[in-house]
Amino acid sequence: MYIIHEDAQGRLFADALIEKAAEGVEVRLLYDWMGGFRKTSRAFWNRLRAGGVEVRCYNPPRFDSPLGC
């Protein structure tokens, strides 16, 4: 488990995950939407997806539960 944000270290980590996915390794990333809120953009997650990483959001917000609880 790691904390990943869209900063210099987060981009290095994302690059490493994308590199492994390109090598054929099955890479899965589960992130908590509240923990990444305002720290990680949708473009960051989409770049990982485009690079072959399976990205899923844990406990996303819903109309009936805006805080995702």
Side-chain angles (χ1 to χ4, degrees):
M1 181 173 16
Y2 300 93
I3 296 173
I4 184 169
H5 292 156
E6 191 173 358
D7 57 10
Q9 291 302 312
R11 286 187 289 277
L12 286 173
F13 195 72
D15 290 344
L17 294 175
I18 291 168
E19 182 179 325
K20 286 301 174 183
E23 291 175 8
V25 176
E26 192 172 326
V27 180
R28 297 177 176 165
L29 185 137
L30 177 67
Y31 71 93
D32 175 57
W33 86 269
M34 181 70 91
F37 184 67
R38 301 186 133 205
K39 295 180 179 119
T40 311
S41 72
R42 184 173 297 175
F44 182 85
W45 303 124
N46 287 339
R47 179 175 170 262
L48 283 159
R49 288 183 182 102
V53 177
E54 183 180 342
V55 178
R56 302 269 176 107
C57 179
Y58 170 74
N59 206 20
R62 303 182 319 243
F63 285 115
D64 65 337
S65 181
L67 296 178
C69 300

